[in-house]
Amino acid sequence: MAKERTIYVCSECGSETPNWAGKCPACGSWNTLKELKITAGRTKNRQVSSSDPEIRPKRIADLSLAEELRFMTGIPELDRVLGGGAVNGSLNLIGGAPGIGKSTLLLQMCGAVASNSVVLYITGEESERQIRLRADRLHVSGDQLYVFAETDLDRIVTAIETVSPDIVIIDSIQTASDNSVQSTPGSMTQIRECTMRIMRLTKEKGLTVFLIGHITKDGTIAGPKILEHMVDCVLYFEGEQDTSFRILRAVKNRYGSTNEIGVFEMEANGLRCVDNPSEMLLSGRPEHASGTCVTCVMEGTRPILAEIQALVTANPRNNASRRSNGIDYNRSAMLLAVLEKRGGLPVANCDTYINVVGGLYLEEPAADLATMLSLASSYLDRPVGDDLAAIGEIGLSGELRQVSALNQRLSEIARLGFKRCMIPAGGRERAEQIPGLQLIPVKNVRQAISVVLGKGERQVEKSPHQV
Ligand code: TYD
Ligand code: MG
């Protein structure tokens, strides 16, 4: 009989060690090693012969070029993130914090696809009645939509065999348990074993499966690396608890790009796709306020406008604190240093807070200029103007560097009614003239601040925060 042995797997990096330790020997994270029971030993008498016709690697040119078959999920933003619809026979994982809307999203998808396909929604979290009530609220119905409340994997597999669905939703992987595995549901061992069995079933039967996975407080799905290796797509559903915006992001996609994001709004009767994220993200923007500036970032192929807010206040105790939400902390520290040294604003002894409105996370350096302007605007307590947007990367010498997809960004900025846009001087020739949008090319940070905030060096010295 195969022997069971215990190994320890790091929930951060996925590396395995035979002994438990407080610190992962591979990545150095603390308290991340989790127990995993595996069955050791090989099946006896396994004969592999060189004459086996199935063991024949093929030449790459002889492989089939047929495209993977996709179907539309009926939720355009989900299709976009999946790379143009879901792929038949794929295993997809949707992760997110509890209450973010994963079950809602997939139940809405069930409603949309149940007219063409047989769908089985397996829930280990709610009762069948609760699902029915939610489906009624979301106006989801369909003769081909089946619901089954179960956590036992053997019974789940049997239900799949009975119904023979095309699409299966498992809500959630943490509640599923395999009786042959001596471990509690939700543990690393259970999650791995259950996902492996589901994966085999998916490929054998050509099912399309959506697994729901809760993420832990530190922002990772329990046993994330183990799951990520096994599934075809990993999507994360994000958003802030106090806003209704939700963003769906792909972190792995075997059938498409991982750049695209899907934007949703949670409403009283479910999630609504937001076709026009810029408009939504800018709604409720304060008028004539200082410490805010709009930029345009590319999320995949789509330009999205984002508002960056900053608050700069004097800290007389010389222990300035820096907070940033929505942009990388190191990037914001660099921008503050450049603002001080090249922009001529002494912000070293100021507390600074930066926030990107709407829960967006800006990874692109193209947002640098707007971040810098909102910091300068807050420091000087002068608005940059409601009709101004800014795009440009900032270098360590305070110079403005060019950005990609300039014209696409400019048209989005013009479409949302902005009248002026500050761009790097180097991009002037490339920029198309858009009627109604005045371009303000600038070379460096100091020029940018003096153009829109109207402050030369002398006036800067008289600023309210200076001692
Ligand atoms: P849910 O899909 O249950 O979250 P998850 O499966 O990710 O844990 O979403 C729960 C939240 O969504 C809950 O706080 C209520 C809210 N909600 C709405 O605002 N409108 C709706 O129509 C539904 C179904 C949920
Ligand atoms: Mg749920």
Side-chain angles (χ1 to χ4, degrees), residues 99 102-104 121 125-126 134 171 212 214:
K102 302 178 293 297
S103 309
T104 309
Y121 190 106
E125 308 228 323
E126 285 152 294
R134 181 189 297 222
D171 185 3
I212 290 182
H214 292 297

Side-chain angles (χ1 to χ4, degrees), residues 71-206:
F71 65 91
M72 292 296 145
T73 62
I75 302 195
E77 294 292 295
L78 177 60
D79 288 335
R80 169 195 290 275
V81 180
L82 287 168
V87 173
N88 279 334
S90 63
L91 178 57
N92 308 281
L93 172 71
I94 305 215
I100 206 76
K102 302 178 293 297
S103 309
T104 309
L105 176 70
L106 290 184
L107 194 59
Q108 280 182 248
M109 182 195 85
C110 289
V113 290
S115 51
N116 305 320
S117 332
V118 180
V119 187
L120 175 58
Y121 190 106
I122 293 161
T123 171
E125 308 228 323
E126 285 152 294
S127 67
E128 283 159 4
R129 190 173 161 273
Q130 276 172 311
I131 298 287
R132 174 64 210 263
L133 287 173
R134 181 189 297 222
D136 273 359
R137 194 141 51 87
L138 298 173
H139 308 295
V140 165
S141 62
D143 288 344
Q144 305 195 84
L145 173 56
Y146 295 83
V147 178
F148 185 44
E150 187 54 69
T151 55
D152 182 278
L153 199 62
D154 291 315
R155 292 166 63 95
I156 291 177
V157 172
T158 313
I160 293 176
E161 278 159 4
T162 318
V163 178
S164 345
D166 306 303
I167 300 167
V168 178
I169 318 292
I170 297 184
D171 185 3
S172 64
I173 187 65
Q174 274 101 347
T175 53
S177 73
D178 185 341
N179 273 341
S180 60
V181 179
Q182 304 257 313
S183 193
T184 48
S187 68
M188 245 354 193
T189 315
Q190 278 290 4
I191 290 179
R192 175 166 135 148
E193 291 300 319
C194 292
T195 312
M196 278 219 285
R197 259 183 87 180
I198 293 167
M199 183 187 61
R200 265 182 263 132
L201 195 73
T202 308
K203 303 294 163 188
E204 262 167 43
K205 297 197 178 294

